[in-house]
Amino acid sequence: MDPSHDTPGIATAPSAPPLAIIAAVASNGVIGDGNCLPWRLSEDLLRFRALTTGHTVIMGRRTWESIGRPLPGRQNIVVTRRGGALPTGVETAPSLDDALARVRLPAPVFCIGGGALYREALPRATTLHLTEIARAFPGDAYFPALDRSEWRETARERRTHTGPDGFEYAFATYERAAG
């Protein structure tokens, strides 16, 4: 029995679903430049789709503007305080808390950016799915600094982006360390 029903005036807040962060991050922390990705990694986009399809994705307004359409097979929630209509299939929420309260699809929920929303979501996240790019890129959006002692790596798949502008990268998964 829920104890909140036994005590008048006390309500139990619904628990937030597990939150995962998914991002591609250059060695200098860059995640974007001019509201675009500074690199083109088709394998990263395929991984993003495979991990997030069937789940809720939460994004900031600028990330939404860079995508410009609802991501199919996902519940799309844009955290913004701006008014204005968005296309069918996209919901808005004024805060991360409000976005988490609107989740309807199975866990985990994915925070997909940008920098400000990553900073807010990081302390709550239980999982990080990072594409770690072993090269610095110029940019104007950054992933927040990670305290690596708070995370344990559970998977890593090393890759090479070939071509004249090639670089090494890895698909890495981290779980929050018990603490």
Side-chain angles (χ1 to χ4, degrees):
M1 179 184 261
D2 183 352
S4 67
H5 294 290
D6 295 339
T7 309
I10 297 178
T12 304
S15 63
L19 181 61
I21 288 177
I22 188 165
V25 185
S27 62
N28 59 342
V30 166
I31 58 172
D33 188 33
N35 217 21
C36 296
L37 293 174
W39 48 78
R40 187 82 180 141
L41 277 175
S42 59
E43 289 179 334
D44 179 54
L45 298 175
L46 291 171
R47 178 178 184 250
F48 175 90
R49 183 183 313 147
L51 287 171
T52 62
T53 297
H55 300 279
T56 300
V57 292
I58 298 174
M59 67 197 89
R61 179 188 49 79
R62 282 198 241 149
T63 298
W64 158 252
E65 289 170 353
S66 73
I67 297 170
R69 63 178 175 77
L71 296 173
R74 289 154 272 208
Q75 179 187 8
N76 292 256
I77 303 175
V78 177
V79 176
T80 181
R81 289 184 181 86
R82 286 188 181 177
L86 293 176
T88 301
V90 180
E91 303 170 50
T92 62
S95 67
L96 179 57
D97 284 332
D98 192 51
L100 290 168
R102 296 170 189 244
V103 170
R104 295 186 309 274
L105 294 180
V109 175
F110 286 89
C111 175
I112 66 169
L117 196 57
Y118 284 143
R119 279 188 295 283
E120 186 177 352
L122 188 58
R124 301 169 165 208
T126 57
T127 307
L128 305 175
H129 297 282
L130 301 180
T131 300
E132 297 176 336
I133 299 170
R135 179 178 155 199
F137 279 84
D140 57 13
Y142 294 85
F143 195 79
L146 278 180
D147 179 349
R148 298 281 177 168
S149 70
E150 294 180 5
W151 300 93
R152 64 182 172 81
E153 185 176 305
T154 58
R156 176 169 294 272
E157 183 181 340
R158 296 181 193 286
R159 302 277 183 112
T160 301
H161 178 63
T162 57
D165 198 30
F167 50 85
E168 302 292 315
Y169 65 99
F171 295 143
T173 302
Y174 299 89
E175 299 293 332
R176 187 168 295 279

